Amino acid sequence: MTNNARDFRKLYAKEESHAGLVIIVPQVLPALQRELFDLILQELAGVKDFVNEVMEATIEEDNAVLTRYSLPEA
């Protein structure tokens, strides 16, 4: 898990395979980071395969938005 999205996207994009990456995009207080991470954990609960994928948490108009995508692109 990181909030250093730019660097980690570059690093993980170079890898042929990785275990998965969680990014909390906004620079927010630790309490809100924990809330966003809890939402991500709920979203990924029961997911059997997160290899080469990214889950990003952003905030848009006071709502958490979770986005999941492949990295590197297949």
Side-chain angles (χ1 to χ4, degrees):
M1 181 181 90
T2 186
N3 62 8
N4 184 352
R6 184 180 313 160
D7 289 342
F8 276 84
R9 277 193 212 107
K10 286 179 189 177
L11 289 171
Y12 276 54
K14 294 177 184 177
E15 298 298 321
E16 187 173 313
S17 181
H18 61 82
L21 176 63
V22 172
I23 301 171
I24 296 178
V25 175
Q27 296 286 336
V28 294
L29 295 174
L32 184 52
Q33 284 182 0
R34 286 189 293 275
E35 288 180 35
L36 291 170
F37 189 59
D38 284 342
L39 288 173
I40 290 168
L41 291 177
Q42 291 172 24
E43 183 74 18
L44 293 176
V47 170
K48 295 181 182 190
D49 189 10
F50 190 56
V51 173
N52 288 347
E53 292 191 338
V54 177
M55 177 69 73
E56 278 189 25
T58 58
I59 298 175
E60 295 177 12
E61 299 179 9
D62 293 329
N63 295 309
V65 177
L66 303 180
T67 306
R68 186 173 169 182
Y69 56 91
S70 296
L71 187 70
E73 293 181 11

